[in-house]
Structures are given as C-alpha cells and as structure tokens.
Amino acid sequence: MPTSRYRTIIQTTLVLSMLMLPQPFGRAPANAAEQTLSARTLQLTMGKSTILRSDNPVKRVSVGKPEIADFILLSSREIYLTGNAAGTTNMTLWQDGTIVAVYDLQVVYDVSLLKQQLHELLPEEKELGITAANNTITLSGRASSSASLAKALALAASYAPEGKVNNLVEVGGVHQVMLEVRVAEIARSTTKRLGINFNYMRGGDFGFSLLGQLSTIDEVPDLLISPAVNALFRFSKGSATWTGIVDALKSDGLAKVLAEPTLIALSGQSARFLAGGEFPVPVPQEGDTVTIEYKEFGVGLVFTPTVLSKDRINIRVTPEVSELDFSTAVQIAGYVAPGLNKRTATTTVELGDGQSFAIAGLLKENINETIQKFPLLGDIPVLGALFRSQSFQKNETELIIVVTPRLVKPLDMARQTLPTDFYVEPSDAEFYLEGLLQGRAPGGKDRLQGRLDGDFGHALPDLDR
C-alpha cells in the first residue's frame, strides 16, 4: 500500500512539472488563426466619399495613412470613407477585440470628367481608353494621329497634379516621312589683276622692282619669274638691258551645284544629308605624336519630322553651308589646318503631305581689292600704273534649298523597276555597224510601259524616240 501511494505522488509531481514548463517561442495563441483574414480591395476616388456597410457589427476602425483616406464611424455597421490623396493604405475593423475585416484602400484620381472632356475635344478617338491606378493616370488604346495623342496627354496631365501620366497609346497611320531635297547653288567669280615689274642690268649694275612677287632674285643674282606672269618683254641699248614683266588678267567664273538627295526618317527621328567632303585636321598628342581628325564641310541638312495627322507634317530643318577658308588657316605641328566659313539656319515649319517650302536668302558676296605701289611714283596719273600692282576679286554665291516632305509606306519590291532593268546588251551588228552602246529590246519596244511625269534620272529610256 505505501508503494502504491508513493507511485501516485511521483506521477502527480511529474504532471505538474510538465505543466509548469514555459511554452516554446513562436507559438501563436489559440485565437491567432481566427484573427488572420484576407484583405479585401476597395477603390476610392480622390475628393469623393462613400459609405461602407459592414456585415458584422464594428466597434473600432483603424486607417494606416489618414492623409490618404479618412473615416467616420456612423453606426456599428456603417463607415463613412473619404479619399484625401492618391495612393494606397489599409483599414482594419474590430469587434470586441476581434478583427472582423481588413481592407486595402486604393485612392485614385477622378477621371470621369477627363473622359467627358476628351470625348468632347476628340470625338473621333473611339479607341482611346483612360484608367486610374494609385497616383497615376494611364492612357491606352489607339490614337489616330500624334496630334490627337499630344492633346490627350496634355489634358490628362492637368488631372494628375504630380504629372504622372503613363502613355500606352499606339498611334495609327503612317509614321515614315520621305524628304525630297533639292539643293541649288550658283557661284560667280570675277578676277582682275594688273602688275608690272621692271628689271635693269648693265654689267655689274642692276635694279629690280619686286611688287606683287611677280619676280624674285636669288643669290647670283638671277631673275626668277612667278608662274602668275603672262607677259614678258626685253630690250637692250648698248650694254644696258631692260626687262619688263607683266601680269594682266581678267577672268570670270561660273559654278553650278545641284544635289537632289532623298531622305527617309521615322516620325520624331532625325535624318542627315551632306554634299561635300572632309578635310584632315592635325591634333597633337602626348609624346610628340600627331593624330588626324576629319572635319566635314559642304552643304549639309538635318531634319526632324513629326507626323501630326494623316495630312499634316511638322518639320524642324537645319541647313548648313560651309567652305574651306585658308585665310584663317593655322599651323599645328608643321601641318596647315584651314578654317571654315559657315552659313547656318534653323527653322520649324508645318505643311501638308506633298507640299514644298524653300529656304532662300543664303547669299554671300565677297570683294577683295589689293594695291601695292611705290610711294609717289605709283600715284602719278596714267604713268603710275607702271609702278604699282593691283588686284580685284569678287565672289558671289546664292544657295536655295527646296524641301518636299511625303508620307510613305513600304513598297512591293517585286513591282519596282531599276535603271538596269532597261539595259540590253548590243549585238555585234548593233555595236560594230550601227555604233550602238545599248541594244534594242526584243520586238523593238522598250519594256517600260506608260509615261513618266518629269525627270526620273539618267538611265531610263526615252519613250518618244
């Protein structure tokens, strides 16, 4: 009996000891699972209010960010919610210490008035969609032109105080612009020169006039004549010899430059054209080394088209005309680098598909007069021309650029013709007997059918022959 009693006491002690041991960390209370609820999403409009009706009675309400959304508990089942600012927060509802509901509140911009104004402003844009999410406004769908999209974005930005507007709109229509450019330049030059040098020699006696560097002397002395001299005479009387050197020249020059490049660029992208060349410029480096960089010169054009609608194009054009100027040349490490004379203009125009505009007024006129003479002798009327050297040079340049933009689509290459398509190799009879460099097409007819309006290159056959 005592043994049984001792056994009962020991078992009771072990059970009490186990009950008094602390519970492990991380074990949740029995009602924790009941308080874990999935959050519901509720969207509010900024500046507007709504009434939320709860399925269960509510005694306490908590909002994470009152500056985004605020509430008033009207009754145990009605909560008055107001959207203060765009953003996200959460709201928790309690009843007797137990969580009965959790809401994720999303406050978005009010886009109802924006949709109404867009419909009034752009009634033809039926595929344009507007949605609000958090603190952004998103435009989606399809717009008929870039101009319509720009108006919609500007209007949407006014409804987003922070300017957070997402553009997911696809712009329809043609977005490739072909620019037909005609660059025409006429340059005229007039040059007049008159210079006279006299040289006298008699035995060991001599006299030289060296105006205008028409002649030079070396150490002998011997007379060295410049390549610019175009007349020379000499006469002797006794032991005296007179030599006359004359540079008399009048020249007129005329140059014509015509370039017709065709450029294609996407809307909003830039395209560039250059009719000219490059000249080397020495660039000194460390260690007495010299590298060469090339600078461009000539007639250049940069244009950036923007398609506004199916028949309106906005173009930003920057033409530039530059030419080498050796009068401003500098010498770098033994190399001569010329300067550049530039004429640049920048303009933005808006015109229709196929219309043209001209950039004119790029005129240039240079007059250069130089007189070298002996004092007093060169001022004598008539005879003073024998004691002076003078030159006159006049250059005139006029440049006109005509630009025609066109909206273009990709072509079917199988239906396109090339200049080489019309070439026929001549037969022996055509080449030797008739002297033809190009043979006749089979059947005596060219493969080109129809007529062409205007000039289309140099290799197309003449249909009138």
Side-chain angles (χ1 to χ4, degrees), residues 226-461:
S226 170
V229 172
N230 49 30
L232 178 68
F233 63 90
R234 174 177 290 179
F235 63 90
S236 300
K237 186 176 182 181
S239 59
T241 301
W242 292 84
T243 303
I245 299 173
V246 180
D247 175 23
L249 176 67
K250 179 179 180 181
S251 65
D252 294 320
L254 176 64
K256 170 189 173 184
V257 178
L258 178 62
E260 297 185 8
T262 299
L263 306 176
I264 297 180
L266 287 175
S267 177
Q269 303 296 320
S270 298
R272 185 172 179 271
F273 159 76
L274 175 67
E278 296 180 339
F279 67 96
V281 176
V283 180
Q285 304 291 335
E286 297 181 358
D288 296 333
T289 59
V290 178
T291 60
I292 299 297
E293 291 185 0
Y294 287 88
K295 302 293 184 179
E296 297 177 343
F297 71 96
V299 179
L301 180 67
V302 179
F303 86 100
T304 304
T306 301
V307 179
L308 301 179
S309 63
K310 61 181 180 180
D311 56 357
R312 301 299 296 176
I313 306 173
N314 178 282
I315 301 180
R316 179 179 177 86
V317 184
T318 304
E320 178 181 299
V321 180
S322 59
E323 57 187 8
L324 300 180
D325 184 9
F326 286 92
S327 63
T328 59
V330 296
Q331 190 169 5
I332 303 175
Y335 299 91
V336 177
L340 280 178
N341 287 331
K342 284 187 177 182
R343 287 170 288 164
T344 304
T346 300
T347 182
T348 301
V349 296
E350 183 178 321
L351 65 168
D353 180 19
Q355 294 181 341
S356 301
F357 69 95
I359 302 176
L362 297 177
L363 305 177
K364 182 180 179 182
E365 180 178 356
N366 291 335
I367 297 179
N368 188 7
E369 296 183 73
T370 303
I371 296 179
Q372 296 177 338
K373 59 184 179 181
F374 287 103
L376 300 179
L377 298 178
D379 297 329
I380 300 176
V382 182
L383 294 179
L386 302 176
F387 301 98
R388 63 175 178 257
S389 176
Q390 54 193 7
S391 64
F392 173 85
Q393 185 172 8
K394 181 179 180 181
N395 296 321
E396 295 179 343
T397 302
E398 181 177 359
L399 176 66
I400 296 179
I401 301 175
V402 181
V403 181
T404 304
R406 301 183 186 275
L407 296 176
V408 295
K409 295 181 179 180
L411 301 177
D412 183 6
M413 189 59 192
R415 303 180 58 185
Q416 302 310 307
T417 57
L418 302 175
T420 54
D421 294 342
F422 309 104
Y423 175 78
V424 179
E425 184 178 351
S427 63
D428 292 343
E430 291 172 335
F431 182 76
Y432 291 108
L433 299 181
E434 301 182 34
L436 298 179
L437 299 180
Q438 181 174 344
R440 297 184 178 88
K445 295 183 180 180
D446 293 317
R447 284 174 287 175
L448 181 64
Q449 303 297 326
R451 302 188 62 83
L452 300 177
D453 184 13
D455 297 331
F456 284 83
H458 308 284
L460 293 180

Side-chain angles (χ1 to χ4, degrees), residues 150-279:
K151 294 178 182 178
L153 290 174
L155 190 59
S158 63
Y159 282 83
E162 298 181 5
K164 295 181 179 180
V165 179
N166 296 328
N167 180 16
L168 303 180
V169 179
E170 177 185 356
V171 181
V174 180
H175 300 283
Q176 293 185 129
V177 179
M178 181 179 68
L179 203 68
E180 298 177 356
V181 184
R182 302 188 69 184
V183 181
E185 182 179 15
I186 292 292
R188 296 183 177 89
S189 62
T190 300
T191 302
K192 300 176 183 179
R193 294 201 311 263
L194 177 61
I196 300 176
N197 283 179
F198 282 104
N199 302 286
Y200 167 78
M201 296 190 67
R202 181 179 180 182
D205 300 332
F206 61 86
F208 297 95
S209 65
L210 306 177
L211 285 177
Q213 297 183 347
L214 300 181
S215 60
T216 58
I217 56 176
D218 56 10
E219 298 178 357
V220 176
D222 281 339
L223 182 64
L224 303 179
I225 300 177
S226 170
V229 172
N230 49 30
L232 178 68
F233 63 90
R234 174 177 290 179
F235 63 90
S236 300
K237 186 176 182 181
S239 59
T241 301
W242 292 84
T243 303
I245 299 173
V246 180
D247 175 23
L249 176 67
K250 179 179 180 181
S251 65
D252 294 320
L254 176 64
K256 170 189 173 184
V257 178
L258 178 62
E260 297 185 8
T262 299
L263 306 176
I264 297 180
L266 287 175
S267 177
Q269 303 296 320
S270 298
R272 185 172 179 271
F273 159 76
L274 175 67
E278 296 180 339
F279 67 96

Side-chain angles (χ1 to χ4, degrees), residues 2-17:
T3 303
S4 175
R5 183 178 179 182
Y6 291 149
R7 186 181 301 170
T8 303
I9 294 174
I10 293 174
Q11 291 177 353
T12 303
T13 304
L14 291 174
V15 172
L16 292 176
S17 300

